Amino acid sequence: MTSANVDRFNSEAAAWDSNPTVLQASHLAHQAILARLPGSEMTCTYDVLDLGCGTGLLSLPMASNVRSVTAVDAAEGMVAALNMKLSDPSCKVSNVRAVTVLLEHPDDPAIQTDPVTGTSEKPRRFDLVVSHLVLHHIPDLQAVLRTMFGCLKPGGRAMLTDFEDFGPEARKFHPEHKMEGVERHGIKRTEMEQLLKDVGFEDVKVERAFELDKAVETQPGSGELEDTLRFPFVICYGLKPEAK
C-alpha cells in the first residue's frame, strides 16, 4: 500500500464508521465469507489474519466465529480506532489483536503473537486470511498474494472481497478527489484467478458475492453525490495445498 493510501486512511479513520455504505459493505462481506466456510465446529478453531483491517468492521464480527483474529493495517489511525473499540469496557471481544504494520513477509514479528495466549509463535501461520476492499489499493497484487499464501497453514484458505471491474462505470466507485492511491477500478475475475494460481493456490474461484448500491458523483469531480449505482462485489477464494 502506498503512502498516499496510508495518509488518506489515517485522515478518515475517526469518521470511517459513520458511513452507512462502508458499514453495509463490511456486513455483506462478512456474510459472504461465512457462507463459504465450514460449520462452526471447525471454524471455532480457526486463527484468522485480517489484512487491511481498518477499524475492525470485519475483524470484530469474525471474532465470534473463530478462535482468534490478528487484525493488520498499515494506517496507524485505523488501528488506533480499532484498539479504542477493543479497550471499551462494553466490548466483549477478547480474541482480537490489532497491529500497525505494512505486512510484506509471513514471518514479520508483528503477527507472531497469539491474541488468545499472548505468547509468540515462530513461525505463526493461519487457517484463514481475509481482506475487504483492500486489493484495489495494492500496487503489486502478486506480491501481496504471495505474502498471504505464506501466512497460511497447509490446507488454509484465503477469502478476499472487493468490488468488480465491470467496465468504465466501475471508476465511479471513488469520487475524483479520492483517486490517489487507487491502483485499479475493481477486480478483474480472470486476472485474479490466474494470479491466485500463479502463487500456488488451488481450488481457485472468483465469483459474485453480493451487490452494493452506492452514491456516486453526478459528474466526475463535481463532489455532488446524488446518483446511485449498483456495484457488483466478488469474493476471491484459494486453498493452500496440504503438505506432501
Side-chain angles (χ1 to χ4, degrees):
M1 186 173 286
T2 65
S3 59
N5 281 310
V6 174
D7 291 344
R8 174 196 160 190
F9 290 120
N10 277 330
S11 67
E12 295 185 4
W16 193 251
D17 291 6
S18 64
N19 186 326
T21 304
V22 168
L23 299 177
Q24 177 70 356
S26 299
H27 170 73
L28 292 172
H30 179 225
Q31 294 303 308
I33 291 168
L34 282 187
R36 291 164 174 81
L37 286 175
S40 58
E41 69 282 353
M42 182 175 292
T43 58
C44 69
T45 68
Y46 276 20
D47 293 312
V48 177
L49 176 65
D50 183 0
L51 190 58
C53 64
T55 63
L57 294 177
L58 181 57
S59 296
L60 293 175
M62 286 291 299
S64 63
N65 307 114
V66 300
R67 177 185 176 274
S68 76
V69 179
T70 298
V72 171
D73 203 292
E76 185 177 0
M78 288 288 186
V79 174
L82 173 52
N83 277 324
M84 282 186 64
K85 296 178 186 179
L86 292 170
S87 64
D88 190 303
S90 65
C91 180
K92 305 303 181 185
V93 176
S94 60
N95 61 338
V96 174
R97 181 173 181 266
V99 292
T100 305
V101 64
L102 179 61
L103 188 64
E104 296 180 314
H105 194 280
D107 292 332
D108 192 307
I111 62 170
Q112 301 304 313
T113 300
D114 187 319
V116 176
T117 65
T119 59
S120 179
E121 303 174 13
K122 297 180 182 180
R124 186 159 189 262
R125 297 294 183 255
F126 299 85
D127 301 282
L128 176 66
V129 175
V130 299
S131 77
H132 173 58
L133 283 173
V134 172
L135 298 176
H136 69 273
H137 288 292
I138 302 297
D140 188 343
L141 279 179
Q142 187 172 64
V144 78
L145 291 174
R146 190 178 296 114
T147 298
M148 291 178 180
F149 186 86
C151 287
L152 287 167
K153 300 173 184 176
R157 314 159 194 257
M159 292 190 178
L160 321 170
T161 54
D162 213 321
F163 72 104
E164 183 175 7
D165 181 352
F166 59 98
E169 286 202 312
R171 179 184 175 89
K172 296 181 180 179
F173 190 86
H174 297 92
E176 289 298 314
H177 73 280
K178 292 187 177 181
M179 287 298 179
E180 187 176 10
V182 175
E183 298 293 333
R184 57 191 58 79
H185 303 299
I187 299 303
K188 294 182 178 179
R189 293 198 200 191
T190 55
E191 178 184 354
M192 193 65 183
E193 287 174 356
Q194 190 59 53
L195 285 170
L196 286 162
K197 292 174 183 177
D198 287 346
V199 301
F201 283 104
E202 296 182 346
D203 295 340
V204 169
K205 298 176 186 176
V206 180
E207 60 188 13
R208 181 70 55 85
F210 57 89
E211 295 181 336
L212 178 76
D213 291 331
K214 187 178 188 294
V216 298
E217 288 184 314
T218 53
Q219 295 293 330
S222 69
E224 297 179 2
L225 303 179
E226 294 182 359
D227 294 341
T228 299
L229 188 62
R230 179 160 292 182
F231 289 89
F233 275 64
V234 292
I235 186 165
C236 309
Y237 174 93
L239 180 73
K240 184 171 182 174
E242 295 281 359
K244 295 181 180 179

